[in-house]
Amino acid sequence: SIGTNSNMSGTMAPPRAMAWARGRATHGHFLLLRRIAMSVVDGRRIAVIGTLAAWVIAIAVVVVLDDAPSQHASRLPEYLRPFRPVGIRVINAIGTLLSAVGLLDRAISLDPDHLMAAACSKLGRTYPKSNCVLRDAEDEQWHESFHRLTQALQHQANLTCLGRVVAQGQIMGILETRGRLLEEFAKDEENGRDSSAADLIDPVFIVGLPRTGTTLLARLLALDPANRAPTLWEYMSPVPKPPCPPPLNASKADFEAYDLKTKVRIGEEQWKVEQYKSLAPGVDAMHPVEATNPEECIIIMNYIMDSEQVAVTYPIHEYMQWLLGFDHHVKALEWNRRVLQYLQQDDPYGPRRWVV
């Protein structure tokens, strides 16, 4: 009958026979499962070995593809040789492959319309004239400079794959930060807290040629409790508005409270600094970079697209000449003033004198 063990005569099989049959069946299942497991393990071993072999071949191919620039670099003096470990050479060679099949521009786009659309999608607020504060801002000089910069990066800089990745990330960061600052300025005006009317009390301007000690002097003057110098992390992450840092003569409790409020944000910006240093080892010998160090105003002027920082980071000499050919840089100075007014608002230790 269904569901029972029976012999040909229909009588029940002895219990010992049933146990023996169950044991045989269980042992058979065990052997089958073991055989399947061994085949799976062998298959995985083959797959792992095949994957490793494929990666070795791929790396060898891409390193060979990137060999010409490396040979060129080897003929340069050591202090002029670009930092190109194997990892960076592999990334760049992958870019060579993508470029050969016409996919590099699509994979890592530097098109101004693409960058603007991507930044606007992250900002995500509707404005009267357009759907984005970046497009709504009436500043023809900024828009012209932005388009000239992106065109230079695409057609003049001859960037490697890693260079395109870094440039795309930098321009996206500039656009997003500019948009968030413009939004903050608009909110302050709507709420009756417009900081643009505040005075900057006798700011100190330090000017000079590179490598002449201007950075050292600025950081020395910033130690005066009556002074304040914008730090790198404040320039890189001005929204939400950073808490005002306490002067050196503030109490221990004030410093602890400031550290508690800013620890996460400073840590995020310091991580970016460390990534930059990993790509440019030895940069601290020329210009010590830390998130909490006072920094130059060329960083905040990136957001108005009137800064030499981007122009000297990439080989875009025609753009640099156009930038230096401005009859005046009034808009850049006005933007710098506006950001400093925004940063000093609600300073419990103020008003303090800015060192820029």
Side-chain angles (χ1 to χ4, degrees), residues 139-149 319 322:
D139 188 344
E140 294 182 2
Q141 180 177 304
W142 178 84
H143 284 286
E144 181 183 4
S145 184
F146 168 61
H147 280 80
R148 282 181 176 270
L149 172 61
Y319 174 77
W322 175 81

Side-chain angles (χ1 to χ4, degrees), residues 258-318:
Y258 177 76
D259 291 341
L260 185 63
K261 293 177 183 177
T262 60
K263 182 177 180 180
V264 173
R265 290 176 66 182
I266 291 177
E268 291 173 351
E269 300 309 319
Q270 184 62 37
W271 181 85
K272 296 177 184 177
V273 169
E274 296 302 328
Q275 299 309 302
Y276 168 69
K277 290 182 180 181
S278 69
L279 294 175
V283 67
D284 277 334
M286 298 181 290
H287 185 94
V289 183
E290 297 292 336
T292 54
N293 279 350
E295 199 47 80
E296 299 172 4
C297 56
I298 60 170
I299 296 178
I300 204 65
M301 290 182 182
N302 277 329
Y303 308 133
I304 197 73
M305 292 293 173
D306 190 0
S307 171
E308 298 176 9
Q309 185 189 26
V310 176
V312 300
T313 302
Y314 310 98
I316 44 177
H317 309 300
E318 293 181 17

Side-chain angles (χ1 to χ4, degrees), residues 65-277:
L65 286 174
D66 192 55
D67 189 53
S70 299
Q71 290 178 358
H72 171 71
S74 66
R75 294 192 293 269
L76 295 172
E78 185 174 357
Y79 66 92
L80 289 178
R81 294 176 191 174
F83 179 64
R84 295 283 178 83
V86 173
I88 292 179
R89 292 177 62 194
V90 168
I91 293 172
N92 290 340
I94 291 174
T96 302
L97 290 174
L98 292 174
S99 179
V101 296
L103 295 177
L104 185 60
D105 288 336
R106 184 179 301 180
I108 313 169
S109 177
L110 293 172
D111 177 73
D113 294 332
H114 172 85
L115 294 172
M116 182 73 76
C120 287
S121 67
K122 292 189 175 183
L123 294 170
R125 184 180 174 186
T126 302
Y127 281 77
K129 297 180 183 178
S130 67
N131 62 352
C132 180
V133 65
L134 294 172
R135 296 192 177 102
D136 207 45
E138 296 180 356
D139 188 344
E140 294 182 2
Q141 180 177 304
W142 178 84
H143 284 286
E144 181 183 4
S145 184
F146 168 61
H147 280 80
R148 282 181 176 270
L149 172 61
T150 52
Q151 291 299 316
L153 290 172
Q154 289 184 92
H155 305 300
Q156 299 173 19
N158 192 26
L159 296 176
T160 63
C161 182
L162 183 61
R164 291 181 71 95
V165 171
V166 173
Q168 185 190 65
Q170 186 175 16
I171 301 303
M172 281 292 298
I174 289 173
L175 293 177
E176 290 176 42
T177 303
R178 173 181 171 83
R180 298 194 191 284
L181 279 170
L182 291 174
E183 288 179 346
E184 286 295 302
F185 298 160
K187 289 177 185 177
D188 283 348
E189 292 179 6
E190 293 172 3
N191 298 330
R193 287 173 42 82
D194 186 6
S195 57
S196 63
D199 291 329
L200 300 182
I201 300 176
D202 298 331
V204 177
F205 293 91
I206 299 175
V207 296
L209 295 173
R211 313 277 74 81
T212 58
T214 53
T215 301
L216 178 61
L217 178 58
R219 293 176 182 179
L220 181 64
L221 293 177
L223 298 176
D224 187 337
N227 295 341
R228 178 182 172 187
T231 58
L232 178 59
W233 86 268
E234 290 176 305
Y235 272 161
M236 294 174 66
S237 179
V239 180
K241 185 181 298 180
C244 296
L248 283 182
N249 60 355
S251 66
K252 181 180 179 181
D254 287 350
F255 279 103
E256 290 176 349
Y258 177 76
D259 291 341
L260 185 63
K261 293 177 183 177
T262 60
K263 182 177 180 180
V264 173
R265 290 176 66 182
I266 291 177
E268 291 173 351
E269 300 309 319
Q270 184 62 37
W271 181 85
K272 296 177 184 177
V273 169
E274 296 302 328
Q275 299 309 302
Y276 168 69
K277 290 182 180 181

